[in-house]
Amino acid sequence: MKNFSEELEKRIKWVESVIEEFLPNEDTKQKIVMEAMNYSVRAGGKRLRPLLLSEMSEMFGMDKENVKPFMAVMEYIHTYSLVHDDLPAMDNDEYRRGRKTTHKQFGEAIGILAGDALLNYAFETGINAILTFEYPKRAVAALAVIASKSGIYGMIGGQTVDIISEGKQLDKDTLDYINELKTGALIEASMMAGAILAGADEEEIFTIERAASKIGQAFQIQDDVLDVISTTKELGKPVHSDEKNCKSTYVNLMDVEKAKDEVKRLSDEAVLELKSLKRENQFLFKLIEWLINRTK
Amino acid sequence: MKNFSEELEKRIKWVESVIEEFLPNEDTKQKIVMEAMNYSVRAGGKRLRPLLLSEMSEMFGMDKENVKPFMAVMEYIHTYSLVHDDLPAMDNDEYRRGRKTTHKQFGEAIGILAGDALLNYAFETGINAILTFEYPKRAVAALAVIASKSGIYGMIGGQTVDIISEGKQLDKDTLDYINELKTGALIEASMMAGAILAGADEEEIFTIERAASKIGQAFQIQDDVLDVISTTKELGKPVHSDEKNCKSTYVNLMDVEKAKDEVKRLSDEAVLELKSLKRENQFLFKLIEWLINRTK
């Protein structure tokens, strides 16, 4: 792959079009909730979860066109979690990616409803896709993983521990636990679901879950490092926000250099795990490298 | 059926045990969110939606034991909608059924997360049930109806129009629209899903949808009537709350006697529709009669 960043841009563009394709029309008397859903989804971002899902499907020999609804499912679940996370009772954020957060733009009641609507719509999209997918049993298995990783033993669980830990100085085990669930779980779900849809076997899925967990952790530590070493201009969002919010991070627990080493170690291990599957996807390996060397 | 209220009590007791059976354990570091989910579900209520689901299954010849997970799905979705509806940014209710609402008991952040968790857990429960259900295609079709009726063209849609209509004097069409979606959609989903799981055909499902829509509307008008004519002691919750909250109701649009006639007309029509299916379920017909003659 000569020019990774060009290829990345191309693939993200395609992912964007897929996510767009499944969004609801803004019609009926309740169209404000559709507008708020679409506003939230269109706020941008790395589109990492649907990208990982489609790349894993490709790695296991499935045409990415076939997994489109499941890509949308992952992005809608991720988006709903951000919309609710930004609410006044949660992180109380007024801006995300340079735009007003959903509840600042549409009011708090519609913010809550738009988050609910995105979660419900994600499952609606996924369940409707079961019957049109060539292998319905795989689709059910993929959705079961997605539902579990999004729920109380996954993302919502991580969010809960994060909320009740506010203002406390956390040890590394608790921080790992929060990140594994809050960030890791959806990355695991995306990679596992992509492989399940493409027919990977149980042992392969376990390997992918382990690799994805390491990618998630490396991703989170890199986020903490960037918050400390970047300037606001480089990062495109306020820096040192963790310190200001008294948030426990990996950089509190180890110095920046040690955290960087940890990111390198975790991502090397993740790539090794994935390579052990003996399936080719050069782009995916480059993507993982990029994720942990990124400067924003 | 000699003693309907005894039979009703017995069946509700069984429904309660089913709902309880699928609730999560209160363990792990995030157990507070499980506690908040279980607290919300255990608050009580008529358990109407799972009851209607199981009765419809029985009407179409399926053993109710087989549809248990789907009964839980309906109650969890209904419960999440109440938890979010009670939040300060929505109806701002501090009490429900004589107990503190979830966010008053656990704090607002956990209230939001518990609602999210119940919605996610409902789909998790439903998706996991697909593969163990004897007829997986019916299970997928039932879940697709449930997801659609809970979403932006169903319950969430009704909730949205209700929120943006606050303080306005509504005409009957808009009021019908809100109630059809906010209350009717989940009653339709419950009755349709029960019949789909038991193998009802498409035409029968349409008939059930029409009947359920009328039951939902009758139920809502009766609620409005009771709010006006009851005492707090009879109703077990504050009366005249609609007037205090400047909520548009059917009683604003027609007098109490006319509203009562409307309830009678709608429920008679619903029972006629159901009887046209030529399936027996005397208890179900009695239940519908009871729903609209209830005094609380």
Side-chain angles (χ1 to χ4, degrees), chain A residues 203-223:
Chain A
E203 207 183 315
E204 289 168 325
I205 299 300
F206 276 130
T207 304
I208 291 161
E209 187 173 25
R210 275 198 308 275
S213 163
K214 286 172 180 177
I215 293 167
Q217 214 191 339
F219 186 77
Q220 189 58 53
I221 302 177
Q222 180 71 359
D223 245 18

mmCIF file with all atom_site columns, all heavy atoms in Angstrom, chain A residues 203-223:
data_model
loop_
_atom_site.group_PDB
_atom_site.id
_atom_site.type_symbol
_atom_site.label_atom_id
_atom_site.label_alt_id
_atom_site.label_comp_id
_atom_site.label_asym_id
_atom_site.label_entity_id
_atom_site.label_seq_id
_atom_site.pdbx_PDB_ins_code
_atom_site.Cartn_x
_atom_site.Cartn_y
_atom_site.Cartn_z
_atom_site.occupancy
_atom_site.B_iso_or_equiv
_atom_site.pdbx_formal_charge
_atom_site.auth_seq_id
_atom_site.auth_comp_id
_atom_site.auth_asym_id
_atom_site.auth_atom_id
_atom_site.pdbx_PDB_model_num
ATOM 1   N N   . GLU A 1 203 ? -12.981 -20.188 17.356 1.00 0.00 ? 203 GLU A N   1
ATOM 2   C CA  . GLU A 1 203 ? -11.616 -19.945 17.835 1.00 0.00 ? 203 GLU A CA  1
ATOM 3   C C   . GLU A 1 203 ? -11.065 -18.637 17.244 1.00 0.00 ? 203 GLU A C   1
ATOM 4   O O   . GLU A 1 203 ? -10.410 -17.855 17.932 1.00 0.00 ? 203 GLU A O   1
ATOM 5   C CB  . GLU A 1 203 ? -10.729 -21.122 17.446 1.00 0.00 ? 203 GLU A CB  1
ATOM 6   C CG  . GLU A 1 203 ? -9.541  -21.311 18.386 1.00 0.00 ? 203 GLU A CG  1
ATOM 7   C CD  . GLU A 1 203 ? -8.635  -22.448 17.909 1.00 0.00 ? 203 GLU A CD  1
ATOM 8   O OE1 . GLU A 1 203 ? -9.169  -23.516 17.541 1.00 0.00 ? 203 GLU A OE1 1
ATOM 9   O OE2 . GLU A 1 203 ? -7.414  -22.235 17.887 1.00 0.00 ? 203 GLU A OE2 1
ATOM 10  N N   . GLU A 1 204 ? -11.361 -18.427 15.973 1.00 0.00 ? 204 GLU A N   1
ATOM 11  C CA  . GLU A 1 204 ? -10.921 -17.180 15.329 1.00 0.00 ? 204 GLU A CA  1
ATOM 12  C C   . GLU A 1 204 ? -11.560 -15.969 16.004 1.00 0.00 ? 204 GLU A C   1
ATOM 13  O O   . GLU A 1 204 ? -10.904 -14.942 16.217 1.00 0.00 ? 204 GLU A O   1
ATOM 14  C CB  . GLU A 1 204 ? -11.274 -17.219 13.837 1.00 0.00 ? 204 GLU A CB  1
ATOM 15  C CG  . GLU A 1 204 ? -10.403 -18.204 13.062 1.00 0.00 ? 204 GLU A CG  1
ATOM 16  C CD  . GLU A 1 204 ? -10.904 -18.510 11.633 1.00 0.00 ? 204 GLU A CD  1
ATOM 17  O OE1 . GLU A 1 204 ? -12.139 -18.552 11.421 1.00 0.00 ? 204 GLU A OE1 1
ATOM 18  O OE2 . GLU A 1 204 ? -10.062 -18.720 10.753 1.00 0.00 ? 204 GLU A OE2 1
ATOM 19  N N   . ILE A 1 205 ? -12.834 -16.121 16.360 1.00 0.00 ? 205 ILE A N   1
ATOM 20  C CA  . ILE A 1 205 ? -13.538 -15.005 17.008 1.00 0.00 ? 205 ILE A CA  1
ATOM 21  C C   . ILE A 1 205 ? -12.904 -14.670 18.359 1.00 0.00 ? 205 ILE A C   1
ATOM 22  O O   . ILE A 1 205 ? -12.766 -13.494 18.723 1.00 0.00 ? 205 ILE A O   1
ATOM 23  C CB  . ILE A 1 205 ? -15.042 -15.347 17.190 1.00 0.00 ? 205 ILE A CB  1
ATOM 24  C CG1 . ILE A 1 205 ? -15.718 -15.590 15.829 1.00 0.00 ? 205 ILE A CG1 1
ATOM 25  C CG2 . ILE A 1 205 ? -15.765 -14.243 17.955 1.00 0.00 ? 205 ILE A CG2 1
ATOM 26  C CD1 . ILE A 1 205 ? -15.663 -14.430 14.880 1.00 0.00 ? 205 ILE A CD1 1
ATOM 27  N N   . PHE A 1 206 ? -12.478 -15.708 19.092 1.00 0.00 ? 206 PHE A N   1
ATOM 28  C CA  . PHE A 1 206 ? -11.799 -15.461 20.375 1.00 0.00 ? 206 PHE A CA  1
ATOM 29  C C   . PHE A 1 206 ? -10.506 -14.686 20.168 1.00 0.00 ? 206 PHE A C   1
ATOM 30  O O   . PHE A 1 206 ? -10.183 -13.760 20.914 1.00 0.00 ? 206 PHE A O   1
ATOM 31  C CB  . PHE A 1 206 ? -11.488 -16.791 21.083 1.00 0.00 ? 206 PHE A CB  1
ATOM 32  C CG  . PHE A 1 206 ? -12.639 -17.319 21.889 1.00 0.00 ? 206 PHE A CG  1
ATOM 33  C CD1 . PHE A 1 206 ? -13.065 -18.641 21.746 1.00 0.00 ? 206 PHE A CD1 1
ATOM 34  C CD2 . PHE A 1 206 ? -13.304 -16.503 22.794 1.00 0.00 ? 206 PHE A CD2 1
ATOM 35  C CE1 . PHE A 1 206 ? -14.132 -19.131 22.476 1.00 0.00 ? 206 PHE A CE1 1
ATOM 36  C CE2 . PHE A 1 206 ? -14.376 -16.992 23.540 1.00 0.00 ? 206 PHE A CE2 1
ATOM 37  C CZ  . PHE A 1 206 ? -14.790 -18.313 23.373 1.00 0.00 ? 206 PHE A CZ  1
ATOM 38  N N   . THR A 1 207 ? -9.744  -15.096 19.153 1.00 0.00 ? 207 THR A N   1
ATOM 39  C CA  . THR A 1 207 ? -8.490  -14.399 18.848 1.00 0.00 ? 207 THR A CA  1
ATOM 40  C C   . THR A 1 207 ? -8.760  -12.929 18.516 1.00 0.00 ? 207 THR A C   1
ATOM 41  O O   . THR A 1 207 ? -8.069  -12.022 18.991 1.00 0.00 ? 207 THR A O   1
ATOM 42  C CB  . THR A 1 207 ? -7.784  -15.083 17.652 1.00 0.00 ? 207 THR A CB  1
ATOM 43  O OG1 . THR A 1 207 ? -7.593  -16.464 17.967 1.00 0.00 ? 207 THR A OG1 1
ATOM 44  C CG2 . THR A 1 207 ? -6.451  -14.423 17.345 1.00 0.00 ? 207 THR A CG2 1
ATOM 45  N N   . ILE A 1 208 ? -9.798  -12.713 17.720 1.00 0.00 ? 208 ILE A N   1
ATOM 46  C CA  . ILE A 1 208 ? -10.148 -11.341 17.326 1.00 0.00 ? 208 ILE A CA  1
ATOM 47  C C   . ILE A 1 208 ? -10.591 -10.527 18.541 1.00 0.00 ? 208 ILE A C   1
ATOM 48  O O   . ILE A 1 208 ? -10.229 -9.357  18.684 1.00 0.00 ? 208 ILE A O   1
ATOM 49  C CB  . ILE A 1 208 ? -11.258 -11.379 16.245 1.00 0.00 ? 208 ILE A CB  1
ATOM 50  C CG1 . ILE A 1 208 ? -10.667 -11.946 14.945 1.00 0.00 ? 208 ILE A CG1 1
ATOM 51  C CG2 . ILE A 1 208 ? -11.861 -9.998  16.016 1.00 0.00 ? 208 ILE A CG2 1
ATOM 52  C CD1 . ILE A 1 208 ? -11.698 -12.450 13.958 1.00 0.00 ? 208 ILE A CD1 1
ATOM 53  N N   . GLU A 1 209 ? -11.331 -11.148 19.433 1.00 0.00 ? 209 GLU A N   1
ATOM 54  C CA  . GLU A 1 209 ? -11.763 -10.448 20.646 1.00 0.00 ? 209 GLU A CA  1
ATOM 55  C C   . GLU A 1 209 ? -10.543 -9.996  21.463 1.00 0.00 ? 209 GLU A C   1
ATOM 56  O O   . GLU A 1 209 ? -10.494 -8.855  21.940 1.00 0.00 ? 209 GLU A O   1
ATOM 57  C CB  . GLU A 1 209 ? -12.659 -11.361 21.489 1.00 0.00 ? 209 GLU A CB  1
ATOM 58  C CG  . GLU A 1 209 ? -13.276 -10.651 22.689 1.00 0.00 ? 209 GLU A CG  1
ATOM 59  C CD  . GLU A 1 209 ? -14.293 -11.533 23.417 1.00 0.00 ? 209 GLU A CD  1
ATOM 60  O OE1 . GLU A 1 209 ? -14.178 -12.774 23.315 1.00 0.00 ? 209 GLU A OE1 1
ATOM 61  O OE2 . GLU A 1 209 ? -15.171 -10.961 24.096 1.00 0.00 ? 209 GLU A OE2 1
ATOM 62  N N   . ARG A 1 210 ? -9.562  -10.888 21.614 1.00 0.00 ? 210 ARG A N   1
ATOM 63  C CA  . ARG A 1 210 ? -8.344  -10.530 22.349 1.00 0.00 ? 210 ARG A CA  1
ATOM 64  C C   . ARG A 1 210 ? -7.598  -9.386  21.674 1.00 0.00 ? 210 ARG A C   1
ATOM 65  O O   . ARG A 1 210 ? -7.174  -8.432  22.322 1.00 0.00 ? 210 ARG A O   1
ATOM 66  C CB  . ARG A 1 210 ? -7.400  -11.737 22.458 1.00 0.00 ? 210 ARG A CB  1
ATOM 67  C CG  . ARG A 1 210 ? -7.683  -12.674 23.613 1.00 0.00 ? 210 ARG A CG  1
ATOM 68  C CD  . ARG A 1 210 ? -6.465  -13.560 23.912 1.00 0.00 ? 210 ARG A CD  1
ATOM 69  N NE  . ARG A 1 210 ? -5.957  -14.248 22.723 1.00 0.00 ? 210 ARG A NE  1
ATOM 70  C CZ  . ARG A 1 210 ? -6.441  -15.418 22.274 1.00 0.00 ? 210 ARG A CZ  1
ATOM 71  N NH1 . ARG A 1 210 ? -7.424  -16.034 22.888 1.00 0.00 ? 210 ARG A NH1 1
ATOM 72  N NH2 . ARG A 1 210 ? -5.909  -15.975 21.193 1.00 0.00 ? 210 ARG A NH2 1
ATOM 73  N N   . ALA A 1 211 ? -7.445  -9.489  20.356 1.00 0.00 ? 211 ALA A N   1
ATOM 74  C CA  . ALA A 1 211 ? -6.733  -8.438  19.607 1.00 0.00 ? 211 ALA A CA  1
ATOM 75  C C   . ALA A 1 211 ? -7.477  -7.110  19.736 1.00 0.00 ? 211 ALA A C   1
ATOM 76  O O   . ALA A 1 211 ? -6.868  -6.060  19.994 1.00 0.00 ? 211 ALA A O   1
ATOM 77  C CB  . ALA A 1 211 ? -6.604  -8.842  18.144 1.00 0.00 ? 211 ALA A CB  1
ATOM 78  N N   . ALA A 1 212 ? -8.788  -7.155  19.580 1.00 0.00 ? 212 ALA A N   1
ATOM 79  C CA  . ALA A 1 212 ? -9.600  -5.937  19.629 1.00 0.00 ? 212 ALA A CA  1
ATOM 80  C C   . ALA A 1 212 ? -9.524  -5.280  21.001 1.00 0.00 ? 212 ALA A C   1
ATOM 81  O O   . ALA A 1 212 ? -9.483  -4.051  21.123 1.00 0.00 ? 212 ALA A O   1
ATOM 82  C CB  . ALA A 1 212 ? -11.049 -6.257  19.272 1.00 0.00 ? 212 ALA A CB  1
ATOM 83  N N   . SER A 1 213 ? -9.485  -6.107  22.030 1.00 0.00 ? 213 SER A N   1
ATOM 84  C CA  . SER A 1 213 ? -9.376  -5.583  23.378 1.00 0.00 ? 213 SER A CA  1
ATOM 85  C C   . SER A 1 213 ? -8.072  -4.798  23.544 1.00 0.00 ? 213 SER A C   1
ATOM 86  O O   . SER A 1 213 ? -8.042  -3.722  24.150 1.00 0.00 ? 213 SER A O   1
ATOM 87  C CB  . SER A 1 213 ? -9.469  -6.751  24.366 1.00 0.00 ? 213 SER A CB  1
ATOM 88  O OG  . SER A 1 213 ? -8.988  -6.358  25.621 1.00 0.00 ? 213 SER A OG  1
ATOM 89  N N   . LYS A 1 214 ? -6.995  -5.325  22.997 1.00 0.00 ? 214 LYS A N   1
ATOM 90  C CA  . LYS A 1 214 ? -5.698  -4.623  23.062 1.00 0.00 ? 214 LYS A CA  1
ATOM 91  C C   . LYS A 1 214 ? -5.707  -3.346  22.235 1.00 0.00 ? 214 LYS A C   1
ATOM 92  O O   . LYS A 1 214 ? -5.154  -2.325  22.640 1.00 0.00 ? 214 LYS A O   1
ATOM 93  C CB  . LYS A 1 214 ? -4.586  -5.562  22.594 1.00 0.00 ? 214 LYS A CB  1
ATOM 94  C CG  . LYS A 1 214 ? -4.287  -6.606  23.654 1.00 0.00 ? 214 LYS A CG  1
ATOM 95  C CD  . LYS A 1 214 ? -3.338  -7.681  23.213 1.00 0.00 ? 214 LYS A CD  1
ATOM 96  C CE  . LYS A 1 214 ? -3.170  -8.644  24.409 1.00 0.00 ? 214 LYS A CE  1
ATOM 97  N NZ  . LYS A 1 214 ? -2.334  -9.788  24.109 1.00 0.00 ? 214 LYS A NZ  1
ATOM 98  N N   . ILE A 1 215 ? -6.349  -3.408  21.087 1.00 0.00 ? 215 ILE A N   1
ATOM 99  C CA  . ILE A 1 215 ? -6.455  -2.204  20.254 1.00 0.00 ? 215 ILE A CA  1
ATOM 100 C C   . ILE A 1 215 ? -7.238  -1.126  21.009 1.00 0.00 ? 215 ILE A C   1
ATOM 101 O O   . ILE A 1 215 ? -6.844  0.035   21.043 1.00 0.00 ? 215 ILE A O   1
ATOM 102 C CB  . ILE A 1 215 ? -7.139  -2.524  18.904 1.00 0.00 ? 215 ILE A CB  1
ATOM 103 C CG1 . ILE A 1 215 ? -6.234  -3.441  18.074 1.00 0.00 ? 215 ILE A CG1 1
ATOM 104 C CG2 . ILE A 1 215 ? -7.461  -1.245  18.131 1.00 0.00 ? 215 ILE A CG2 1
ATOM 105 C CD1 . ILE A 1 215 ? -6.925  -4.083  16.877 1.00 0.00 ? 215 ILE A CD1 1
ATOM 106 N N   . GLY A 1 216 ? -8.312  -1.529  21.613 1.00 0.00 ? 216 GLY A N   1
ATOM 107 C CA  . GLY A 1 216 ? -9.122  -0.584  22.386 1.00 0.00 ? 216 GLY A CA  1
ATOM 108 C C   . GLY A 1 216 ? -8.324  0.069   23.501 1.00 0.00 ? 216 GLY A C   1
ATOM 109 O O   . GLY A 1 216 ? -8.403  1.280   23.711 1.00 0.00 ? 216 GLY A O   1
ATOM 110 N N   . GLN A 1 217 ? -7.551  -0.745  24.199 1.00 0.00 ? 217 GLN A N   1
ATOM 111 C CA  . GLN A 1 217 ? -6.762  -0.204  25.313 1.00 0.00 ? 217 GLN A CA  1
ATOM 112 C C   . GLN A 1 217 ? -5.661  0.738   24.807 1.00 0.00 ? 217 GLN A C   1
ATOM 113 O O   . GLN A 1 217 ? -5.474  1.821   25.358 1.00 0.00 ? 217 GLN A O   1
ATOM 114 C CB  . GLN A 1 217 ? -6.158  -1.361  26.105 1.00 0.00 ? 217 GLN A CB  1
ATOM 115 C CG  . GLN A 1 217 ? -6.066  -1.056  27.588 1.00 0.00 ? 217 GLN A CG  1
ATOM 116 C CD  . GLN A 1 217 ? -5.231  -2.084  28.345 1.00 0.00 ? 217 GLN A CD  1
ATOM 117 O OE1 . GLN A 1 217 ? -5.047  -3.204  27.871 1.00 0.00 ? 217 GLN A OE1 1
ATOM 118 N NE2 . GLN A 1 217 ? -4.735  -1.694  29.499 1.00 0.00 ? 217 GLN A NE2 1
ATOM 119 N N   . ALA A 1 218 ? -4.963  0.309   23.737 1.00 0.00 ? 218 ALA A N   1
ATOM 120 C CA  . ALA A 1 218 ? -3.918  1.154   23.158 1.00 0.00 ? 218 ALA A CA  1
ATOM 121 C C   . ALA A 1 218 ? -4.521  2.486   22.701 1.00 0.00 ? 218 ALA A C   1
ATOM 122 O O   . ALA A 1 218 ? -3.955  3.562   22.927 1.00 0.00 ? 218 ALA A O   1
ATOM 123 C CB  . ALA A 1 218 ? -3.254  0.443   21.982 1.00 0.00 ? 218 ALA A CB  1
ATOM 124 N N   . PHE A 1 219 ? -5.677  2.410   22.089 1.00 0.00 ? 219 PHE A N   1
ATOM 125 C CA  . PHE A 1 219 ? -6.385  3.586   21.588 1.00 0.00 ? 219 PHE A CA  1
ATOM 126 C C   . PHE A 1 219 ? -6.671  4.558   22.730 1.00 0.00 ? 219 PHE A C   1
ATOM 127 O O   . PHE A 1 219 ? -6.481  5.773   22.613 1.00 0.00 ? 219 PHE A O   1
ATOM 128 C CB  . PHE A 1 219 ? -7.689  3.105   20.942 1.00 0.00 ? 219 PHE A CB  1
ATOM 129 C CG  . PHE A 1 219 ? -8.475  4.170   20.257 1.00 0.00 ? 219 PHE A CG  1
ATOM 130 C CD1 . PHE A 1 219 ? -8.097  4.640   19.010 1.00 0.00 ? 219 PHE A CD1 1
ATOM 131 C CD2 . PHE A 1 219 ? -9.615  4.704   20.842 1.00 0.00 ? 219 PHE A CD2 1
ATOM 132 C CE1 . PHE A 1 219 ? -8.830  5.618   18.360 1.00 0.00 ? 219 PHE A CE1 1
ATOM 133 C CE2 . PHE A 1 219 ? -10.358 5.687   20.202 1.00 0.00 ? 219 PHE A CE2 1
ATOM 134 C CZ  . PHE A 1 219 ? -9.964  6.138   18.957 1.00 0.00 ? 219 PHE A CZ  1
ATOM 135 N N   . GLN A 1 220 ? -7.114  4.026   23.859 1.00 0.00 ? 220 GLN A N   1
ATOM 136 C CA  . GLN A 1 220 ? -7.465  4.863   24.995 1.00 0.00 ? 220 GLN A CA  1
ATOM 137 C C   . GLN A 1 220 ? -6.230  5.501   25.637 1.00 0.00 ? 220 GLN A C   1
ATOM 138 O O   . GLN A 1 220 ? -6.238  6.679   25.983 1.00 0.00 ? 220 GLN A O   1
ATOM 139 C CB  . GLN A 1 220 ? -8.219  4.016   26.030 1.00 0.00 ? 220 GLN A CB  1
ATOM 140 C CG  . GLN A 1 220 ? -8.818  4.825   27.153 1.00 0.00 ? 220 GLN A CG  1
ATOM 141 C CD  . GLN A 1 220 ? -9.771  5.888   26.654 1.00 0.00 ? 220 GLN A CD  1
ATOM 142 O OE1 . GLN A 1 220 ? -10.695 5.605   25.902 1.00 0.00 ? 220 GLN A OE1 1
ATOM 143 N NE2 . GLN A 1 220 ? -9.537  7.144   27.022 1.00 0.00 ? 220 GLN A NE2 1
ATOM 144 N N   . ILE A 1 221 ? -5.161  4.713   25.788 1.00 0.00 ? 221 ILE A N   1
ATOM 145 C CA  . ILE A 1 221 ? -3.933  5.269   26.378 1.00 0.00 ? 221 ILE A CA  1
ATOM 146 C C   . ILE A 1 221 ? -3.391  6.375   25.465 1.00 0.00 ? 221 ILE A C   1
ATOM 147 O O   . ILE A 1 221 ? -2.989  7.445   25.931 1.00 0.00 ? 221 ILE A O   1
ATOM 148 C CB  . ILE A 1 221 ? -2.864  4.175   26.602 1.00 0.00 ? 221 ILE A CB  1
ATOM 149 C CG1 . ILE A 1 221 ? -3.434  3.077   27.524 1.00 0.00 ? 221 ILE A CG1 1
ATOM 150 C CG2 . ILE A 1 221 ? -1.597  4.778   27.223 1.00 0.00 ? 221 ILE A CG2 1
ATOM 151 C CD1 . ILE A 1 221 ? -2.484  1.909   27.763 1.00 0.00 ? 221 ILE A CD1 1
ATOM 152 N N   . GLN A 1 222 ? -3.437  6.134   24.153 1.00 0.00 ? 222 GLN A N   1
ATOM 153 C CA  . GLN A 1 222 ? -2.977  7.158   23.205 1.00 0.00 ? 222 GLN A CA  1
ATOM 154 C C   . GLN A 1 222 ? -3.801  8.439   23.355 1.00 0.00 ? 222 GLN A C   1
ATOM 155 O O   . GLN A 1 222 ? -3.254  9.540   23.293 1.00 0.00 ? 222 GLN A O   1
ATOM 156 C CB  . GLN A 1 222 ? -3.076  6.596   21.775 1.00 0.00 ? 222 GLN A CB  1
ATOM 157 C CG  . GLN A 1 222 ? -2.636  7.551   20.671 1.00 0.00 ? 222 GLN A CG  1
ATOM 158 C CD  . GLN A 1 222 ? -1.131  7.778   20.656 1.00 0.00 ? 222 GLN A CD  1
ATOM 159 O OE1 . GLN A 1 222 ? -0.400  7.246   21.485 1.00 0.00 ? 222 GLN A OE1 1
ATOM 160 N NE2 . GLN A 1 222 ? -0.670  8.593   19.725 1.00 0.00 ? 222 GLN A NE2 1
ATOM 161 N N   . ASP A 1 223 ? -5.103  8.288   23.566 1.00 0.00 ? 223 ASP A N   1
ATOM 162 C CA  . ASP A 1 223 ? -5.969  9.448   23.805 1.00 0.00 ? 223 ASP A CA  1
ATOM 163 C C   . ASP A 1 223 ? -5.490  10.244  25.012 1.00 0.00 ? 223 ASP A C   1
ATOM 164 O O   . ASP A 1 223 ? -5.420  11.472  24.975 1.00 0.00 ? 223 ASP A O   1
ATOM 165 C CB  . ASP A 1 223 ? -7.407  8.965   24.081 1.00 0.00 ? 223 ASP A CB  1
ATOM 166 C CG  . ASP A 1 223 ? -8.378  9.412   22.995 1.00 0.00 ? 223 ASP A CG  1
ATOM 167 O OD1 . ASP A 1 223 ? -7.928  9.773   21.892 1.00 0.00 ? 223 ASP A OD1 1
ATOM 168 O OD2 . ASP A 1 223 ? -9.592  9.382   23.259 1.00 0.00 ? 223 ASP A OD2 1
#
